[in-house]
């Protein structure tokens, strides 16, 4: 069972998947930083100098006497998440489009003609030798 598990882990697909997950997580952090620190601050400035991720509809305010927490719909944080998703979706779309274009270009390029076999080379040499002999 241990050998089967080791063979499973050593397979190329599993390692490729692990690398993809790690790179995807790092890319997610980059996109989160881009949205939270680059894109949303100007939008918050346009909306009146507020932190966009803190925008919310309060359904029930906090009540310290009853020790009840605030109930709110955080539409600003949701908007941040939607923008992050759209950025990731566009990047993935562009990557797939580029990969598809590259594969299509490779498919349309004609393959070079195969090299002649040793038999054909020998027959060609014999033919050329016979042609070069005086009649």
């Amino acid at each position: 069972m241990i050998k089967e598990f080791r063979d499973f882990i050593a397979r190329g697909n599993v390692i490729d998947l692990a690398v993809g997950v790690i790179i995807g997580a790092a890319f997610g952090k980059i996109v989160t930083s881009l949205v939270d620190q680059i894109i949303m601050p100007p939008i918050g400035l346009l909306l009146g100098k507020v932190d966009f991720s803190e925008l919310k509809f309060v359904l029930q305010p906090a009540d310290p006497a009853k020790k009840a927490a605030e109930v709110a719909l955080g539409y600003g944080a949701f908007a941040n998440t939607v923008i992050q998703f759209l950025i990731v979706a566009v990047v993935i779309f562009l990557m797939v489009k580029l990969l598809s274009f590259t594969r299509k270009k490779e498919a349309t390029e004609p393959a070079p003609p195969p090299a002649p076999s040793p038999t054909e080379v020998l027959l060609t040499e014999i033919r050329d030798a016979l042609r070069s002999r005086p009649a």
Side-chain angles (χ1 to χ4, degrees):
M1 190 159 146
I2 292 173
K3 182 182 180 308
E4 288 178 23
F5 181 71
R6 187 183 71 222
D7 291 343
F8 172 75
I9 294 299
R11 245 187 259 163
N13 293 342
V14 174
I15 293 172
D16 292 343
L17 179 62
V19 169
V21 168
I22 292 167
I23 289 175
F27 182 69
K29 290 179 182 180
I30 291 170
V31 170
T32 299
S33 176
L34 173 72
V35 171
D36 290 344
Q37 297 165 352
I38 305 290
I39 295 174
M40 296 316 283
I43 293 174
L45 184 63
L46 290 173
L47 292 175
K49 297 183 181 181
V50 296
D51 180 6
F52 196 79
S53 64
E54 295 296 321
L55 294 177
K56 58 188 171 188
F57 290 120
V58 177
L59 301 175
Q60 179 180 346
D63 187 2
K66 294 182 181 178
K67 296 183 181 179
E70 176 182 74
V71 178
L73 298 175
Y75 67 90
F78 178 73
N80 278 355
T81 304
V82 169
I83 291 171
Q84 290 171 9
F85 169 77
L86 291 175
I87 290 171
V88 170
V90 166
V91 168
I92 290 173
F93 171 76
L94 292 175
M95 287 173 58
V96 168
K97 188 100 169 141
L98 178 66
L99 182 64
S100 160
F101 175 74
T102 304
R103 285 188 179 169
K104 185 185 288 186
K105 187 175 179 182
E106 289 174 0
T108 58
E109 292 178 0
S117 68
T119 305
E120 291 173 335
V121 170
L122 184 60
L123 288 173
T124 304
E125 289 174 2
I126 293 170
R127 181 196 66 200
D128 294 342
L130 288 174
R131 281 187 184 166
S132 66
R133 282 192 343 189

